[in-house]
Amino acid sequence: MRFACDRSNCKSRRGSLASATLSAIARLTIIHRAILTSLLTARLVRRETHCANRGCQDRKQDFDVILHNQPSPATIAKASQKDRTRSEALALQRFVRQFVVEMPKTFFITTAIDYTNSPPHIGHAYEKVLADVIARYHRLKGDNVFFLTGVDQHGQKVQQSAAKAGVPPAEFVKEITQKFVDLWKKLDVQYDEWAETTNERHKKVVQGILQRLFDAGQIYKDKQAGHYSIRQEQFLTDKERGPDGEFGPEWGQIEFREEENYYFKLSQHKDWLLRYLDDRKDAVIPDFRQTELRNAVEKLSGDLCISRPKSRLDWGIELPFDKNFVNYVWFDALTNYISFAGYDPKPDNYEKQPQEFRDRWSKDTLQIIGKDILVPAHGIYWLIMLHAIGFPNEAMPQLLVHGWWNLGGAKMSKSAGNVIDPFVFADKYGAEAVRYYLVSDIATGRDSDFSEERLVQRYNADLANNFGNLLNRTLNMVHRYCKGRLARPRETRKFPTDVIDGYKQLVAEYTAVTAPVRPDVLIERSLYLASVFNGLIEAKSPWTLAKSSKPEDREFLEDLLYDCAESLRILALLVSPILPKAAQGIFDQLNWKMELSGKEERFSLADAEWGRLPDGHVVGKGVPLFPRIDIGDGV
Ligand code: ME8
C-alpha cells in the first residue's frame, strides 16, 4: 500500500520558515511587536474558543498554559528596560513557535455517514473503530487530528422505515441517531465533529453548492421515461434485467413512467477524472481499488439525476431553485465531509475558503469508506463534485477503501436476518475485546468472516495469555524479587540487545506514513515482541536466578525485569490506538506518570525511546487487565 502524504517535507519547510520568522522578530520595533502580539493573541484566543466550544480539553489546557506563561504587565513593568525587551521578545517567540513551528499539521480523517434507517451493525462498528485507531495513531505521532463522522438522515430508505414504524421521519432518525452516538461512546470512538444531515448549516451548504452549480449551467432539468420499480422507487435500465431479459421479482411491480428531474453534468468531467487518476497513483488505497475505479470511469456515460419530486419523496433537502423537488441523495450525503469542516459555499474556489477549512482539508485528507460506496458514489460523484465546485487536484482527498465483515461467507443483511449487533458483543466481552478483534482479524482492504469463537480465541491467546501475562508476571516478580523497585541496567549488561533493537525498529516503523492504515500489522508486530519477552522469561527462569547467590545472576535478574517493564511501557504506547483503556491501565500499574514522561499528552510516540524508566522506579501492583474468557461461557 502507498500513502500520498509527505509530511517530512512539510515539516522541514515549516522549520525553515520558523527560523526566518524568529530572526525577523529580533529586528522588529516595539510598535511592530505590539501589533504582532495582539494579532497572534487574537488568533490564539480564537483557537482557544474553538477548542472550548468543541470540548477539546487537551488543547484547551495547552492554551491555558501558554496564556499563563506570558509575563504579566506588572512583571514587565518591574523589569529593567533590557529585561523588559528580552521578556517581550521571549513571549513573542513563544507565540510564534506555537503557530509556526509547534502547531502540528492537521490530519483530517472522515468515515462514511451511516444510514439511520436501522440500528448500527458490526460493519458500521468496524469502519468507525478503524478510523478511530488511525486517528489515534496520528495523535500518538503528534499530529493535530480532526476526525469527522456522523449519520446520513435523509432519503427514501429512512422515509420508508419511518412510515413502517408509524412515526414521523424526524422522530425516527433522532432515535436511531442516538443508537449510533451510544455505540461510539461504548466503543471509545473519539471523534472531533459529528455530522447529522438534518443540521441547518449543512442544509445551507448543500443548497449553496447546488445553486452555484445551477447558475454555472452544471445542473439542468430533463424528462425521463422508462420502466419504474414501485417497490424500489427507481427507474430501471437494461443493466437491471436478468439473463432472461426480464426484471426479477426483487423489483416488485413495474410500470412505465415519465418524470421530470434535475441532472448534474457528470459525464462532462470524465476526462478530467481519468487524467487525475492517472496522475495520482494513490488516489485510492489499496491499489486494486484504484484499478477498479479507473475501469468504472472508462465506462462512465450519462449524467447524474439529483432530485426527486416532492410528490413522492419529501424527506430531503429542498432544491434552492425549485421548491417542488428535494435533493436525492448523494449530493446531500457527500457534502457532509466539507459542510462540517467549515466550508463556505459562496466562494467559487478552494483558495478563497476560510482558513479554518483550508487548515483541515488537503490532499492528505483521508476518507474511509466501505467497498460498496467507492463506485460510483465516492470515486466518481464525489471527486467530480469537488472538481466542479473549484477544488484543485492538489486538494483532492485520498480514499481508503475497506472490505466487509461477512457471516459464514455471506453478506450480512437485515432481510437475511444475519446482522451482528455490536452492542451485544461489547456488553459481553468489553469494548477493548471488540476493538481488538475488529482491527486485528482483518487485513485493511480485504473481507473477513465474523466469528464469535474467533473473537474469544484471539482475545485469550493474544491479550490474556500473551500480553496480559507479561504484565502480571513482570510486576509480580519485581515485587517478589526486588521489593517493587527497578534497577536501570548497567553499561556492562550482558542481556541480548537484539530484542531491544526489535523495539527500536518497530517504533521507527510507526513513523512511516503508511503504517497507521494497517493496524492489523502493527498490533501483530507489537504483540510478537511481548511473546519474545515471555519466551525470555521462560528461558532465563528469573525464579531460579532469584535463588542464586552469585552477583552476576542478581545483575542479570534485575536487568531482565527492567527490560520486561520497559518493554511493557513501550508496548502500552504502541497498542494505545487500539486498546486505549488497557494502555492507560498498563501505565497506571507501571506507575508511569505524566511528570516522568514530561510530555503534554499521556500517549506520545516520542516517549517510546528505550530506557526511560528511571533507576529505582517503583512499580505498582499487577491487576489482570485481560481476564481470560471461559470458552464454556456461552460461545
Ligand atoms: O452507505 N462490513 O450508509 P450505510 C464492513 N449512508 N463495512 C460495512 C458493512 C460490513 N458488513 N456493511 C456496511 C451508506 N458497511 C451511506 C454512506 S457517505 C457520504 C454515505 C459500511 O449505513 C459501508 O461500506 O449503508 C459504508 O462505508 C458504511 O458502512 C455505511 O454504510
Side-chain angles (χ1 to χ4, degrees):
M1 275 193 195
R2 287 188 298 265
F3 202 84
C5 112
D6 187 356
R7 288 170 200 287
S8 55
N9 272 346
C10 309
K11 278 204 174 127
S12 64
R13 269 210 319 276
R14 285 166 155 236
S16 55
L17 178 61
S19 44
T21 313
L22 291 176
S23 63
I25 284 173
R27 295 194 297 274
L28 291 177
T29 67
I30 287 179
I31 296 171
H32 285 132
R33 280 187 208 159
I35 295 170
L36 184 57
T37 307
S38 60
L39 284 174
L40 290 170
T41 308
R43 184 158 180 207
L44 184 63
V45 169
R46 268 209 315 278
R47 275 176 192 263
E48 187 195 25
T49 316
H50 163 87
C51 284
N53 291 343
R54 300 247 151 98
C56 329
Q57 269 317 314
D58 297 352
R59 297 300 301 159
K60 169 101 176 54
Q61 277 158 14
D62 291 352
F63 292 125
D64 288 345
V65 169
I66 298 162
L67 288 171
H68 290 140
N69 281 345
Q70 300 313 309
S72 70
T75 319
I76 293 178
K78 267 191 240 141
S80 68
Q81 179 58 40
K82 200 170 133 217
D83 286 349
R84 210 180 299 166
T85 323
R86 203 170 157 267
S87 64
E88 281 169 5
L90 284 175
L92 263 172
Q93 280 191 8
R94 261 201 302 272
F95 267 137
V96 172
R97 273 212 195 92
Q98 181 66 18
F99 293 108
V100 186
V101 190
E102 287 161 9
M103 197 67 199
K105 194 172 155 32
T106 296
F107 170 68
F108 185 13
I109 179 165
T110 71
T111 68
I113 49 171
D114 305 321
Y115 281 130
T116 48
N117 59 325
S118 50
H121 55 64
I122 205 79
H124 294 133
Y126 165 57
E127 182 175 282
K128 276 52 179 186
V129 168
L130 175 66
D132 182 61
V133 166
I134 297 175
R136 286 175 191 262
Y137 273 123
H138 279 270
R139 290 193 198 107
L140 190 68
K141 283 162 63 177
D143 289 334
N144 194 18
V145 172
F146 185 70
F147 171 16
L148 171 69
T149 187
V151 280
D152 191 355
Q153 297 171 311
H154 287 130
Q156 207 153 275
K157 284 189 191 182
V158 173
Q159 185 166 302
Q160 282 167 349
S161 305
K164 219 167 158 188
V167 285
E171 202 178 300
F172 184 81
V173 296
K174 210 168 155 207
E175 213 173 285
I176 303 276
T177 297
Q178 192 55 47
K179 291 196 196 317
F180 281 94
V181 172
D182 292 346
L183 181 63
W184 306 147
K185 195 158 176 226
K186 195 176 231 350
L187 291 179
D188 234 338
V189 172
Q190 233 176 54
Y191 46 84
D192 299 288
E193 188 62 272
W194 176 249
E196 289 185 7
T197 52
T198 51
N199 171 291
E200 284 307 317
R201 206 192 111 75
H202 168 74
K203 286 186 193 172
K204 293 244 148 41
V205 176
V206 173
Q207 289 177 326
I209 288 175
L210 287 169
Q211 186 67 55
R212 250 177 50 208
L213 291 173
F214 184 73
D215 295 344
Q218 288 280 313
I219 290 176
Y220 60 93
K221 198 173 188 183
D222 202 3
K223 190 176 273 176
Q224 190 178 9
H227 294 285
Y228 187 83
S229 151
I230 295 181
R231 182 194 283 173
Q232 302 293 344
E233 294 259 14
Q234 72 175 78
F235 279 97
L236 302 177
T237 65
D238 285 342
K239 274 193 279 174
E240 275 85 41
R241 290 181 192 275
D244 57 356
E246 298 297 319
F247 295 113
E250 69 275 20
W251 301 108
Q253 189 191 341
I254 311 258
E255 64 176 27
F256 191 81
R257 227 190 231 200
E258 262 190 355
E259 190 173 278
E260 280 203 304
N261 266 311
Y262 286 89
Y263 292 84
F264 168 55
K265 290 184 178 168
L266 195 71
S267 49
Q268 204 181 65
H269 304 280
K270 172 177 171 175
D271 289 343
W272 165 79
L273 186 51
L274 285 172
R275 275 198 312 277
Y276 166 69
L277 291 174
D278 289 344
D279 289 350
R280 184 173 179 185
K281 296 285 178 257
D282 60 0
V284 183
I285 42 180
D287 296 353
F288 69 94
R289 293 285 176 205
Q290 174 134 348
T291 310
E292 177 190 323
L293 173 62
R294 179 84 181 50
N295 292 340
V297 181
E298 292 266 16
K299 295 193 199 102
L300 176 66
S301 68
D303 291 336
L304 172 67
C305 179
I306 58 147
S307 68
R308 287 289 183 272
K310 274 194 187 163
S311 52
R312 72 183 172 94
L313 175 76
D314 61 2
W315 183 240
I317 300 178
E318 190 178 284
L319 295 189
F321 40 82
D322 192 336
K323 62 178 174 19
N324 295 318
F325 290 83
V326 294
N327 171 243
Y328 187 79
V329 65
W330 283 103
F331 254 84
D332 173 356
L334 292 164
T335 300
N336 95 84
Y337 298 133
I338 54 177
S339 65
F340 288 93
Y343 181 79
D344 179 355
K346 277 180 246 80
D348 61 2
N349 71 34
Y350 173 81
E351 282 69 32
K352 289 191 219 141
Q353 281 300 315
Q355 187 63 42
E356 182 190 42
F357 178 73
R358 282 185 296 131
D359 277 351
R360 287 175 186 152
W361 190 275
S362 72
K363 75 173 184 31
D364 299 333
T365 295
L366 187 66
Q367 303 212 259
I368 304 189
I369 53 169
K371 61 179 185 177
D372 58 321
I373 52 172
L374 171 66
V375 177
H378 286 77
I380 300 180
Y381 304 162
W382 179 228
L383 294 183
I384 287 182
M385 271 170 68
L386 287 172
H387 173 66
I389 61 172
F391 281 58
N393 288 9
E394 297 70 45
M396 285 295 147
Q398 189 177 39
L399 303 174
L400 170 61
V401 185
H402 64 75
W404 270 24
W405 281 98
N406 298 320
L407 200 63
K411 185 179 161 180
M412 279 183 224
S413 86
K414 230 169 103 177
S415 50
N418 64 352
V419 170
I420 304 279
D421 180 352
F423 282 104
V424 170
F425 290 91
D427 285 340
K428 197 164 171 187
Y429 302 118
E432 302 254 303
V434 174
R435 286 175 68 97
Y436 176 68
Y437 176 65
L438 286 182
V439 296
S440 67
D441 215 36
I442 189 168
T444 315
R446 302 281 168 186
D447 288 355
S448 194
D449 225 46
F450 187 89
S451 141
E452 182 171 1
E453 205 179 341
R454 181 119 178 104
L455 182 157
V456 173
Q457 264 171 15
R458 288 215 56 171
Y459 172 94
N460 278 344
D462 306 346
L463 301 183
N465 294 355
N466 178 23
F467 197 25
N469 186 26
L470 179 63
L471 177 69
N472 273 324
R473 66 201 319 199
T474 299
L475 295 181
N476 289 342
M477 287 190 289
V478 177
H479 280 283
R480 194 170 310 140
Y481 307 138
C482 309
K483 301 196 175 76
R485 200 171 285 278
L486 295 172
R488 221 184 133 93
R490 284 130 285 224
E491 292 303 316
T492 53
R493 65 186 314 192
K494 298 185 187 74
F495 193 77
T497 52
D498 51 339
V499 189
I500 299 170
D501 289 343
Y503 274 85
K504 289 183 180 159
Q505 200 188 326
L506 184 57
V507 171
E509 280 171 25
Y510 267 61
T511 54
V513 282
T514 47
V517 300
R518 289 300 305 270
D520 53 311
V521 174
L522 291 182
I523 191 85
E524 193 195 332
R525 302 262 291 105
S526 303
L527 295 187
Y528 168 73
L529 287 174
S531 69
V532 168
F533 265 91
N534 274 320
L536 272 171
I537 291 174
E538 298 299 329
K540 306 293 176 193
S541 49
W543 36 91
T544 314
L545 293 173
K547 287 186 202 134
S548 163
S549 52
K550 291 189 202 148
E552 62 267 29
D553 284 345
R554 179 79 208 163
E555 190 180 331
F556 194 94
L557 171 70
E558 287 180 357
D559 287 359
L560 176 61
L561 292 181
Y562 179 91
D563 287 333
C564 287
E566 188 57 353
S567 72
L568 282 160
R569 187 186 65 82
I570 296 178
L571 279 177
L573 283 170
L574 301 186
V575 305
S576 66
I578 298 172
L579 302 166
K581 288 234 161 60
Q584 296 273 7
I586 296 171
F587 271 14
D588 289 346
Q589 294 190 26
L590 283 176
N591 226 349
W592 175 251
K593 300 235 168 62
M594 294 286 280
E595 305 87 85
L596 288 170
S597 129
K599 300 285 178 316
E600 287 161 4
E601 305 286 339
R602 187 150 208 218
F603 300 120
S604 159
L605 199 60
D607 258 349
E609 195 190 7
W610 189 270
R612 303 215 46 211
L613 279 169
D615 190 35
H617 179 77
V618 176
V619 297
K621 292 266 182 238
V623 184
L625 272 184
F626 305 108
R628 261 188 77 81
I629 300 170
D630 187 346
I631 306 276
D633 282 356
V635 177

